[in-house]
Amino acid sequence: MIKYIADKEHYSEVLARCEEVKHDLWIATADIKDLYVEGGREAVPFLSVLDRLTKRGVEVRLLHAKEPGGNFRADFDHYPDLWSRLERRLCVRVHFKIMIFDCSLAYIGSANLTGAGIGMKGDSTRNFEAGILTDDASLVDAAADHLDSVWQGLHCKGCRRKPFCGDRIRT
């Protein structure tokens, strides 16, 4: 299956699948902001989803390019278990957006981990995004290998931006 995803489908077709992950969720994004998702009758921070996943024993990797916005950092402080359970790396050169679900499904596209990119936003405030959702093994493997190569630091030696790759989130 290879499915083209556009605009608000990112929320229903991609982000909603995070709740279904059983073992591994890998996320790479350039930008992180205060992303909210449906949580019953109200909107809740996406961090609450990640918190539930890590408490169930799901390995969650988050690779991002810059420090998250202030609202995200404030929300992060409400999930102290994530401080030790969420695997997180910062690489200022990351611009790709990839999500790998249980090593069997991949999203490869343009949407950042923000409300306007992939989260709950109104039609008039949403970015115009595009991507694919696929379970094609060759595409899933290629996306996972690409994300993992950055995660493992295979590009760091020649990067010349390493001094800017801090590991701060807490304010």
Side-chain angles (χ1 to χ4, degrees):
M1 173 263 305
I2 299 177
K3 183 175 185 179
Y4 180 77
I5 305 294
D7 302 328
K8 65 183 175 183
E9 288 179 310
H10 279 82
Y11 182 78
S12 60
E13 294 290 330
V14 179
L15 201 57
R17 292 180 187 264
C18 293
E19 296 270 7
E20 302 166 9
V21 171
K22 304 232 182 316
H23 306 286
D24 307 283
L25 174 62
W26 293 1
I27 302 170
T29 184
D31 195 10
I32 304 174
K33 292 185 181 169
D34 54 331
L35 170 63
Y36 279 73
V37 297
E38 293 176 5
R41 293 183 180 181
E42 61 186 9
V44 297
F46 180 63
L47 288 167
S48 69
V49 173
L50 299 182
D51 187 56
R52 282 193 305 276
L53 290 173
T54 60
K55 286 177 178 174
R56 283 194 344 236
V58 173
E59 175 191 307
V60 179
R61 283 184 175 183
L62 176 60
L63 175 64
H64 55 99
K66 63 181 186 177
E67 285 303 310
N71 291 337
F72 181 97
R73 289 193 308 272
D75 285 342
F76 190 80
D77 288 344
H78 292 112
Y79 300 96
D81 289 338
L82 281 180
W83 303 347
S84 60
R85 293 183 177 163
L86 177 67
E87 296 181 58
R88 199 178 55 77
R89 299 243 167 98
L90 190 144
C91 171
V92 297
R93 294 224 184 243
V94 167
H95 197 263
F96 57 89
K97 291 78 174 179
I98 294 174
M99 296 178 87
I100 307 291
F101 307 87
D102 286 328
C103 298
S104 62
L105 184 71
Y107 163 74
I108 306 162
S110 64
N112 279 306
L113 206 61
T114 65
I118 202 167
M120 293 178 59
K121 281 284 189 172
D123 290 341
S124 63
T125 56
R126 180 172 296 288
N127 294 340
F128 301 119
E129 305 286 0
I132 62 166
L133 186 65
T134 183
D135 62 1
D136 178 277
S138 64
L139 290 173
V140 173
D141 289 349
D145 287 349
H146 182 62
L147 193 159
D148 195 49
S149 73
V150 176
W151 182 267
Q152 297 298 331
L154 299 181
H155 307 280
C156 292
K157 186 176 181 180
C159 175
R160 300 164 69 187
R161 302 289 295 168
K162 185 71 175 158
F164 302 100
C165 291
D167 193 32
R168 305 168 313 271
I169 250 191
R170 306 237 12 243
T171 53

